[in-house]
Amino acid sequence: MTAVADTNRVIIFDTTLRDGEQAPGASMNLDEKLKVAAVLEEMGVDVIEAGFPIASAGDFEAVREVAKLVKNSTVAGLARAARKDIDRAAEALKGAARPRIHTFISTSPLHMKYKLQMTPDQVHQAIIDSVSYARSLVEDVEWSCEDGSRTEHDFLCRCVETAIKAGARTINIPDTVGYATPEEFGALIAMLFDRVPNIDKAIISAHCHNDLGLAVANSLAAVDNGARQVECTINGLGERAGNAAMEEIVMALKTRHDLMPYTTGIRTQSIMKASRMVSAITGFPVQPNKAIVGANAFAHESGIHQDGMLKHAGTYEIMTPESVGLTRSTLVMGKHSGRHAFKTKLKELGFELGDNALEDVFKRFKDLADKKKEIFDEDIVALVDDAVGQDRQRIRFVSLRVVCGSEGPQKADLTLEIDGARKSVDATGDGPVDATFNAIKKLAPHEAKLQLFQVHAVTAGTDAQAEVTVRLEENGKTVNGQGADTDTLVASAKAYLHALNKLLVKREKTAPAALTA
Ligand code: KIV
Ligand code: ZN
């Protein structure tokens, strides 16, 4: 899929599962990574970076399983410039139809001196050794100069030329710390095309971080100056301020084809589905005003805008909602809606669920319709997100009764199903949320610390569903969980359990433990 003859075709390299997952709290379990990989492949991503195999047993397993699952996209595994890293990546990629080893080393003066404690000549030698070793194991090798945008030009040219000579087919230039500006980053790519004699033997790639909010602009500037691969993530997920957002790059290229005559292989109609899935799995909500995938990205509320829209959609819309997978719905859902209509609605919203998941979500929909007069699309999205979150959990929510109000103590009676067995407990706390979380701790003792508790209403109205995000931290690992319900406390309990279940999966990888007190 990456062998593209069209000189204006831009290769989309998605690193949601590697750089995206490095965002604190964004970790995904194996099942979740496989679901994301399947959607990325379905949407036409050329290269899926599935992980950093040497980093942990979980990363290795994820790369190995994604490599087995994915047939059309190239699957990449990250490796430092060390034989043990490269061996581990090659091992994990064994089952891939199109394996790529992505090896990197820092080239900026700051990184070489303080991080690597290596001289430029040592780094240069490490590039020759690592790239040629990787090439002895797979055909498709990508080399990255970490902190490339802050590297001295002469040294950068020397390293890029060497990496190509050693066998790298793709040369990736990262703006690791998100420091570059579009003009500067575009000029850097142009400089490489001018000065590196064998540059035509490789695809040049951009990998931009968003610390100054310029990652997408820098990526587009790179493309305009000859780069033909961009590295990006769904929703711009990633460490610190994140990576360049794939949906923004792809839709900018599509919408402003008049100025940027480049194409990608992305089926843009899958963008919303991928965005929702990544948000549901990681528990990172998408801000409402986020370009392309935010809830308000296609909403027109002011009278003047609505009037314009009614006369001609082009007055205020530069791309159609349909082009990113949002459908103007014709189906109004309510308590009388049947399975067939529900399935059609899910499809409209970009979800295709298996029979069991469909049955589960349909039951939740019916319960919700009994409680809530109007069911909006956002409600259904929240139901599906919640179901994805609850899928195959060791600790499952069963019921909750809370006594709260100004006269304390607030008390929670909680029933959970833990490894298939029902257990109940009551607990008090400083407020109903505290009481609920204390009850969870009594039934499933753990040391994790609550780092974030966030509630937002899915729609307007006092009967709206609450969507809660909880972040837990244990031994330096952070995880996010999400839950939705018309009852804020039930949503809170579900979100807490979602996060706790993720921590358990992490713990199990090292030492499986009993869950109950
Ligand atoms: O940001 C960066 O420099 C990276 C490299 C490993 C490609 O993620
Ligand atoms: Zn990065």
Side-chain angles (χ1 to χ4, degrees):
M1 221 174 168
T2 43
V4 275
D6 176 358
T7 53
N8 279 351
R9 166 76 150 78
V10 177
I11 293 165
I12 296 294
F13 176 115
D14 180 277
T15 183
T16 305
L17 296 176
R18 198 277 299 169
D19 223 352
E21 209 223 5
Q22 281 173 219
S27 57
M28 305 174 220
N29 63 32
L30 179 61
D31 256 14
E32 293 167 340
K33 286 186 180 175
L34 290 174
K35 278 184 191 152
V36 173
V39 169
L40 293 175
E41 180 174 40
E42 180 193 307
M43 75 193 289
V45 165
D46 300 288
V47 187
I48 299 173
E49 186 162 55
F52 191 179
I54 193 94
S56 68
D59 252 50
F60 178 86
E61 195 187 4
V63 176
R64 190 185 58 197
E65 295 308 310
V66 170
K68 281 194 220 154
L69 175 82
V70 166
K71 295 286 167 273
N72 298 315
S73 314
T74 295
V75 177
L78 188 67
R80 286 168 302 188
R83 279 194 174 219
K84 61 179 188 327
D85 279 44
I86 295 169
D87 282 336
R88 200 76 179 131
E91 176 72 24
L93 290 166
K94 252 187 193 152
R98 294 176 172 79
R100 172 180 294 189
I101 294 178
H102 176 194
T103 180
F104 73 100
I105 191 164
S106 293
T107 51
S108 68
L110 206 64
H111 275 222
M112 288 192 292
K113 183 166 174 199
Y114 294 104
K115 184 181 127 171
L116 299 176
Q117 294 176 339
M118 287 167 82
T119 63
D121 281 343
Q122 287 171 325
V123 167
H124 184 256
Q125 188 56 47
I127 297 168
I128 301 175
D129 296 343
S130 55
V131 173
S132 46
Y133 184 58
R135 253 321 280 270
S136 73
L137 302 175
V138 295
E139 287 286 297
D140 187 354
V141 173
E142 170 171 333
W143 176 75
S144 285
C145 42
E146 192 182 4
D147 209 16
S149 58
R150 294 194 298 172
T151 298
E152 285 170 348
H153 287 191
D154 287 352
F155 187 58
L156 185 62
C157 290
R158 180 173 168 222
C159 292
V160 168
E161 184 180 353
T162 296
I164 297 173
K165 251 192 220 146
R169 287 181 171 177
T170 303
I171 299 292
N172 181 42
I173 313 294
D175 181 26
T176 304
V177 291
Y179 182 69
T181 66
E183 211 180 18
E184 181 186 27
F185 199 65
L188 181 69
I189 302 296
M191 184 279 296
L192 291 172
F193 275 97
D194 271 353
R195 292 185 50 190
V196 176
N198 54 358
I199 196 98
D200 58 318
K201 305 275 183 304
I203 300 276
I204 302 303
S205 165
H207 175 112
C208 299
H209 281 266
N210 204 31
D211 300 67
L212 293 174
L214 295 171
V216 170
N218 287 341
S219 307
L220 295 175
V223 170
D224 228 10
N225 284 280
R228 287 296 174 268
Q229 174 176 286
V230 284
E231 303 199 351
C232 46
T233 58
I234 300 290
N235 297 341
L237 191 69
E239 255 179 296
R240 307 186 310 276
N243 289 59
M246 186 223 279
E247 62 279 4
E248 295 179 23
I249 293 174
V250 168
M251 290 312 291
L253 291 178
K254 185 169 169 154
T255 308
R256 295 313 309 272
H257 195 71
D258 55 331
L259 283 185
M260 299 180 284
Y262 314 105
T263 57
T264 72
I266 298 296
R267 280 179 280 285
T268 60
Q269 293 79 358
S270 302
I271 283 176
M272 281 311 301
K273 177 175 174 181
S275 166
R276 283 175 181 147
M277 176 179 277
V278 168
S279 170
I281 285 176
T282 58
F284 276 44
V286 173
Q287 73 192 59
N289 59 332
K290 160 89 177 63
I292 317 296
V293 290
N296 293 350
F298 292 92
H300 305 276
E301 201 169 300
S302 90
I304 295 175
H305 288 202
Q306 285 180 346
D307 181 57
M309 283 294 295
L310 289 172
K311 289 175 175 146
H312 190 292
T315 50
Y316 287 101
E317 246 173 34
I318 57 166
M319 55 201 152
T320 64
E322 288 82 359
S323 65
V324 299
L326 276 171
T327 42
R328 292 185 212 264
S329 186
T330 44
L331 276 173
V332 179
M333 303 303 291
K335 70 191 222 179
H336 301 297
S337 309
R339 236 181 225 84
H340 183 69
F342 186 67
K343 200 172 169 181
T344 310
K345 167 61 84 182
L346 286 179
K347 210 160 176 208
E348 271 185 11
L349 293 172
F351 298 111
E352 260 166 272
L353 302 183
D355 287 347
N356 290 346
L358 178 69
E359 213 38 53
D360 178 34
V361 181
F362 183 63
K363 187 175 167 309
R364 288 164 187 252
F365 159 71
K366 283 290 190 186
D367 290 345
L368 183 65
D370 276 340
K371 293 185 210 155
K372 201 169 178 285
K373 265 195 262 111
E374 281 179 287
I375 306 283
F376 298 100
D377 287 358
E378 290 87 338
D379 286 313
I380 295 173
V381 171
L383 280 182
V384 177
D385 287 354
D386 195 55
V388 171
Q390 312 279 313
D391 207 17
R392 298 209 213 155
Q393 295 193 343
R394 280 181 72 186
I395 312 178
R396 298 173 75 91
F397 175 84
V398 178
S399 69
L400 175 70
R401 179 174 295 278
V402 177
V403 179
C404 63
S406 56
E407 303 295 315
Q410 288 78 19
K411 184 171 164 255
D413 289 321
L414 177 73
T415 302
L416 299 179
E417 197 178 283
I418 302 181
D419 287 338
R422 279 200 178 196
K423 299 193 187 304
S424 300
V425 78
D426 59 52
T428 55
D430 194 5
V433 176
D434 194 43
T436 303
F437 291 176
N438 285 343
I440 295 176
K441 264 191 210 138
K442 267 191 171 176
L443 283 178
H446 56 274
E447 295 301 319
K449 301 266 173 302
L450 181 67
Q451 284 198 328
L452 174 96
F453 173 70
Q454 188 174 282
V455 184
H456 104 268
V458 172
T459 57
T462 48
D463 65 350
Q465 288 194 89
E467 198 164 49
V468 176
T469 304
V470 159
R471 182 176 302 159
L472 296 179
E473 187 271 335
E474 188 182 65
N475 299 328
K477 295 254 178 266
T478 52
V479 288
N480 278 343
Q482 271 190 326
D485 201 277
T486 46
D487 185 311
T488 308
L489 293 166
V490 171
S492 305
K494 285 180 175 176
Y496 195 102
L497 292 172
H498 185 207
L500 188 58
N501 276 294
K502 285 188 176 179
L503 277 182
L504 289 175
V505 173
K506 279 192 184 300
R507 261 199 247 150
E508 268 164 30
K509 296 234 147 83
T510 44
L515 286 177
T516 42

